[in-house]
Amino acid sequence: MTSTSDDLATFIVVANRLPVDRVVNEDGSIDWTTSPGGLVTALEPVMQRKGGAWIGWHGAPDETVEPFHHEGYDIVPIPLSAQEVTEYYEGFSNASLWPLYHDCVVDPEFHREWWDSYRTVNTRFAEEVAKRAAKNATVWVQDYQLQLVPRMLREARPDLKIGFFLHIPFPPIELYQHIPWRGELVDGLLGADLIGFQTPGAAHNFARLAHHRDGVTGPDDSDDIATLSDGRVVKIKDFPISIDARGFHELASSPQVHQEAEEMRTELGNPSTIIFGVDRLDYTKGLRQRIRAIGELFDEGKLDQEDCVFLQLATPSRERVEEYKILRNDIDLLVGRINSASDTLARPRIAYRHTSVPRSTLAAMYQIADIMIVTPLRDGMNLVAKEYLACRDDDNSALILSEFAGAALELDEAYMINPYDIDGMKATIMKAINDSPQARAQKMRAMRQQVFAHTIDDWADSFLTELGE
Ligand code: ADP
Ligand code: G6P
């Protein structure tokens, strides 16, 4: 770990998460591990290329950590107390905003002390950025945990160029109006010069809301600019995020990953079909529906466990939030029930692991996956779908994708499913398995082309160019 320079930064990314998490082992030693989730996967290569500073929380409560230099940029950890982790992170961010922004797939809870904590922590982030940013620097604020930061920063440092990108969906106005502090949140975002969303629909939902704020004119359908009462202009636009496609491809093509893939396939008993799912263990990912559909296909004999395995990897996530605890138990039960219905000891129907793995192991899993299954009930983008495509050389494979993932707009050649329709999902899984090699290949080629033609560098460059203009 090297220390940071004393210079002020001309480019700053600010996100609740840092790319690395500080973990204290049982023997008291310290490790840094890669943080979970799509935001980190997407932004890491951007920061490695551009340099600058990444300001965020290091994942451990009640600990202050000095800034340090990491892979070409500075990391500036922001401390959170244990109470703030409960109220700001687990509470308002992940039990109020997260479910509400994902179409209320579970009920959001609202508590005034959670909101107070959200405001306090947003203020801390904004103050740290204001302290570290050079004159006229570009600051890129990320995601739903920090929606008040753009306005706070604008007030403290009007010289800055401020961009905001929301990695998750933005809900329709009818749901948004439930939030007791909706006005303050919208005004917080309007502090930015440019507000980016994953899809045109999300941008449109926000634009409709902005239009309802006092003194805001526009945007209308033909226009993605809102003008505030002081004459300042805010651009509102979609920028679908992507991945470092070449980086994933090179990793997946390496001899080590090929060997790991071979070993994994052998360990799974060399079945002719491996169906693969990988997600944070989150109720938005449609895991219950996916597992139920595949379980029924085994029960009905349409999938034969002598020949087919479903490999599901679930990353531990937000484990102290009630709905995540319930989900973990439900999935354990569901998988146990399906596997115990088997009449052979040889191989489980579902090989389920509740763990995070190194990226090379994940690439090996993508390599052995004949069928990739991605079933969110709602998802901002879903990078897993894009990673699968980038890691595949073999065209005789298939991506099953929920129509409710942002990625479905770009990857419309996928075998598309509605995760609420279990029978429809079962039929599509069987179609993906049984389609002709030519039909599968044509789909894979078209989607792979899309992923390689719109990479994470293109995403960052188009956002930052628009912000700079
Ligand atoms: P979200 O951001 O909601 O978690 P995404 O699909 O956009 O969903 O991004 C998830 C990211 O986390 C991907 O880059 C994926 O490779 C990574 N990931 C998910 N599960 C695991 C796991 N068990 N081990 C390692 N990486 C994982
Ligand atoms: C999604 C969110 C990110 C978040 C990630 C992991 O990708 O958009 O903001 O960092 O999930 O969740 P966590 O709560 O562990 O940071």
Side-chain angles (χ1 to χ4, degrees):
M1 220 184 256
T2 53
S3 56
T4 56
S5 81
D6 293 333
D7 293 345
L8 296 177
T10 53
F11 179 63
I12 295 182
V13 156
V14 48
N16 175 62
R17 277 272 175 207
L18 285 173
V20 283
D21 259 353
R22 184 178 150 94
V23 183
V24 183
N25 299 315
E26 274 174 18
D27 63 1
S29 60
I30 303 292
D31 271 333
W32 288 89
T33 59
T34 302
S35 307
L39 180 150
V40 164
T41 303
L43 283 168
E44 250 191 321
V46 174
M47 289 306 281
Q48 285 163 2
R49 180 167 65 98
K50 292 189 64 67
W54 185 328
I55 297 180
W57 175 48
H58 49 276
D62 284 331
E63 273 183 36
T64 302
V65 181
E66 286 304 309
F68 57 96
H69 197 71
H70 165 87
E71 299 189 351
Y73 55 97
D74 288 342
I75 292 215
V76 182
I78 299 278
L80 293 185
S81 69
Q83 190 175 350
E84 286 164 348
V85 173
T86 307
E87 296 182 347
Y88 146 79
Y89 169 69
E90 293 166 343
F92 196 71
S93 297
N94 288 314
S96 310
L97 295 177
W98 179 267
L100 189 118
Y101 280 40
H102 287 85
D103 282 359
C104 294
V105 293
V106 309
D107 284 338
E109 272 182 60
F110 298 108
H111 297 290
R112 284 165 285 187
E113 60 280 14
W114 290 2
W115 166 249
D116 292 341
S117 180
Y118 184 85
R119 216 201 257 129
T120 305
V121 172
N122 271 244
T123 308
R124 185 174 312 142
F125 273 83
E127 284 172 354
E128 189 63 36
V129 179
K131 205 169 80 192
R132 291 189 173 266
K135 189 159 175 48
N136 300 324
T138 296
V139 178
W140 197 357
V141 186
Q142 310 288 325
D143 232 358
Y144 61 102
Q145 303 91 343
L146 301 180
Q147 290 174 95
L148 301 179
V149 168
R151 173 157 302 270
M152 291 170 169
L153 258 186
R154 163 99 27 224
E155 280 162 11
R157 292 286 307 270
D159 59 301
L160 301 176
K161 277 258 175 238
I162 305 170
F164 179 91
F165 184 76
L166 186 74
H167 291 252
I168 67 174
F170 195 87
I173 193 166
E174 291 75 10
L175 290 180
Y176 207 83
Q177 302 291 42
H178 295 183
I179 307 175
W181 309 279
R182 61 204 181 191
E184 209 171 315
L185 285 167
V186 174
D187 289 347
L189 290 173
L190 287 171
D193 297 293
L194 171 63
I195 311 177
F197 295 89
Q198 298 277 24
T199 61
H204 179 73
N205 285 344
F206 178 75
R208 264 187 81 200
L209 259 168
H211 190 65
H212 279 72
R213 298 300 295 154
D214 281 350
V216 177
T217 50
D220 58 32
D221 281 346
S222 59
D223 175 14
D224 55 13
I225 286 186
T227 307
L228 311 192
S229 51
D230 59 3
R232 196 167 62 79
V233 153
V234 182
K235 290 190 244 176
I236 298 165
K237 211 173 149 183
D238 62 298
F239 296 87
I241 204 166
S242 194
I243 54 164
D244 172 15
R246 273 179 290 280
F248 270 99
H249 184 75
E250 272 162 28
L251 177 65
S253 310
S254 71
Q256 292 85 336
V257 168
H258 275 285
Q259 192 186 336
E260 195 174 352
E262 276 305 306
E263 289 164 4
M264 237 177 240
R265 196 173 257 286
T266 308
E267 201 181 335
L268 287 168
N270 272 319
S272 53
T273 305
I274 296 175
I275 307 174
F276 178 45
V278 53
D279 318 74
R280 272 183 313 100
L281 189 51
D282 194 296
Y283 51 78
T284 59
K285 303 291 182 185
L287 278 157
R288 292 183 177 96
Q289 290 81 348
R290 181 190 313 172
I291 295 172
R292 198 168 302 138
I294 293 178
E296 287 183 18
L297 288 171
F298 277 116
D299 286 343
E300 293 160 9
K302 293 185 178 132
L303 293 179
D304 174 3
Q305 79 185 83
E306 296 294 331
D307 222 24
C308 173
V309 166
F310 172 35
L311 171 63
Q312 174 66 52
L313 193 62
T315 324
S317 187
R318 308 174 191 166
E319 290 192 280
R320 299 190 324 171
V321 179
E322 192 55 27
E323 287 293 340
Y324 289 76
K325 290 187 199 160
I326 297 172
L327 177 70
R328 181 166 182 196
N329 287 336
D330 282 1
I331 299 299
D332 283 350
L333 271 177
L334 210 51
V335 170
R337 200 173 299 147
I338 292 166
N339 278 341
S340 62
S342 155
D343 29 57
T344 157
L345 296 176
R347 165 193 300 159
R349 294 170 169 188
I350 305 180
Y352 174 59
R353 294 287 173 279
H354 178 241
T355 182
S356 181
V357 296
R359 189 165 289 165
S360 55
T361 301
L362 187 56
M365 289 177 172
Y366 288 136
Q367 284 272 322
I368 62 167
D370 303 293
I371 309 280
M372 183 78 211
I373 183 157
V374 178
T375 59
L377 306 176
R378 178 58 72 194
D379 208 333
M381 176 53 62
N382 195 285
L383 295 184
V384 159
K386 295 187 172 183
E387 290 169 8
Y388 177 65
L389 296 164
C391 286
R392 298 295 299 182
D393 278 326
D394 178 6
D395 281 339
N396 195 12
S397 42
L399 171 66
I400 298 173
L401 179 61
S402 163
E403 60 188 88
F404 304 122
L409 292 179
E410 295 167 282
L411 306 177
D412 57 356
E413 293 276 350
Y415 291 92
M416 218 57 91
I417 53 115
N418 167 0
Y420 293 99
D421 172 10
I422 302 282
D423 284 341
M425 178 154 43
K426 285 163 64 182
T428 305
I429 293 170
M430 294 317 297
K431 181 168 166 51
I433 293 176
N434 294 324
D435 237 359
S436 70
Q438 293 82 348
R440 287 157 53 123
Q442 185 268 326
K443 285 171 174 292
M444 285 299 286
R445 281 193 212 115
M447 290 189 290
R448 218 179 15 237
Q449 233 171 31
Q450 155 68 34
V451 168
F452 280 95
H454 299 91
T455 66
I456 190 65
D457 287 346
D458 301 324
W459 171 78
D461 290 347
S462 64
F463 186 97
L464 293 171
T465 304
E466 185 92 35
L467 179 60
E469 273 165 6

